[in-house]
Amino acid sequence: MPSSPSPSPSWSGRAARRKPLLIAAAVAAASVALGLASWQATKPADRADRADRGSSAAQPRSAGSDTRAGLAALARRDAGDKLAVGRADAPVVLIEYSDFRCGYCGKFTRDTEPGLIAKYVEDGTLRIEWRNFPIFGAESEAAARAAWAAGQQDRFRPFHAAAYAEGAKEKGFGEARLLELAREAGVPDLERFRRDMAGEGAASALHKDQEEGYGIGVSSTPSFLVNGRPIAGAQPQAAFAAAIEQAKARAGAAAGAGAAR
């Protein structure tokens, strides 16, 4: 699969310095942005146009652009990320903050994500990066650590599918159940899985994802960023497709403008 050429050292150094600054600048505004997205996801239809016009009038275009740029910089684009699917250089990155005990997260996984993968991941447009964001207690955290452990043996996607299967969360996520899910996902070394699940690596990865989510104002699951644009809840596939198409067009325009300079 082709990959984009490596940036020059000078560009890479500048990008590395800019990324933390972009993220820091976005944190304060991101909580408002995600809160607005959550409210708009459930607002009455007859208020939708007024709310959209009001938010546009209240927020200068440059401020919104800066916020989106900062949130987009949260994409890790790590080719070795075991919890991601899609090319690291894809023009659009969807970041998903989810909990395995969240029913709407399961709905998104079963009903919406497969279509996005088939249409956008497979043609190189989209990358999906998972963030473990457990908010429903100890079993949510245990499932998050187990998913990370399955990923260390390249079985995150099958584990993710098994844990979100219809009726799976009703069986709970105790240790015996997590081992059963690991077997179902085809994790080859269950002893290693057990060690990894209880180890410092899983705890550190979980903490990193949680700190990122709380830092930008995520308060419910599922929550998403599409190239920095917040989307709250298990929206219809058409909503994600529209956001991906818009992000793809913007990325293409930006690339064209950069090439023209």
Side-chain angles (χ1 to χ4, degrees):
M1 182 178 294
S3 59
S4 54
S6 299
S8 66
S10 60
W11 183 93
S12 179
R14 289 197 301 272
R17 289 192 296 272
R18 286 183 61 211
K19 184 170 181 177
L21 294 174
L22 284 169
I23 294 172
V27 166
S31 179
V32 175
L34 285 167
L36 177 61
S38 180
W39 179 78
Q40 287 184 336
T42 56
K43 68 191 175 189
D46 64 345
R47 289 165 50 196
D49 291 339
R50 291 201 307 273
D52 291 338
R53 287 196 299 271
S55 64
S56 297
Q59 185 179 47
R61 182 178 179 85
S62 59
S65 299
D66 289 346
T67 298
R68 185 171 293 184
L71 293 174
L74 293 172
R76 296 170 187 170
R77 294 186 178 276
D78 177 1
D81 187 345
K82 304 287 191 179
L83 278 60
V85 60
R87 293 170 48 164
D89 63 348
V92 183
V93 178
L94 183 155
I95 302 174
E96 176 184 354
Y97 299 88
S98 285
D99 182 317
F100 283 104
R101 291 190 64 207
C102 163
Y104 284 106
C105 300
K107 179 176 176 58
F108 171 80
T109 297
R110 294 189 300 271
D111 298 347
T112 304
E113 190 176 53
L116 299 180
I117 290 174
K119 184 171 183 179
Y120 295 111
V121 173
E122 292 182 4
D123 76 355
T125 296
L126 179 68
R127 174 178 176 83
I128 299 175
E129 296 186 354
W130 171 272
R131 304 288 192 264
N132 272 309
F133 198 73
I135 58 174
F136 292 114
E139 286 201 356
S140 290
E141 295 201 1
R145 292 193 298 270
W148 183 89
Q152 302 318 292
Q153 299 185 56
D154 297 317
R155 304 306 293 168
F156 171 75
R157 297 300 303 178
F159 184 93
H160 170 271
Y164 276 135
E166 191 73 53
K169 78 182 183 72
E170 284 74 19
K171 297 179 182 180
F173 293 114
E175 183 175 354
R177 173 62 178 152
L178 292 171
L179 286 169
E180 180 183 337
L181 288 170
R183 291 189 193 95
E184 185 177 338
V187 174
D189 186 339
L190 291 177
E191 284 307 311
R192 178 189 170 188
F193 170 80
R194 196 194 299 264
R195 290 194 305 271
D196 285 345
M197 185 169 55
E200 181 57 34
S204 177
L206 176 57
H207 179 73
K208 179 180 179 180
D209 287 354
Q210 288 176 309
E211 286 297 296
E212 178 182 298
Y214 285 125
I216 62 168
V218 175
S219 60
S220 62
T221 56
S223 289
F224 307 88
L225 296 172
V226 178
N227 276 16
R229 172 184 171 180
I231 297 179
Q235 300 294 316
Q237 184 163 328
F240 287 95
I244 291 165
E245 293 288 355
Q246 290 171 6
K248 179 182 178 181
R250 288 182 178 178
R261 290 195 186 103

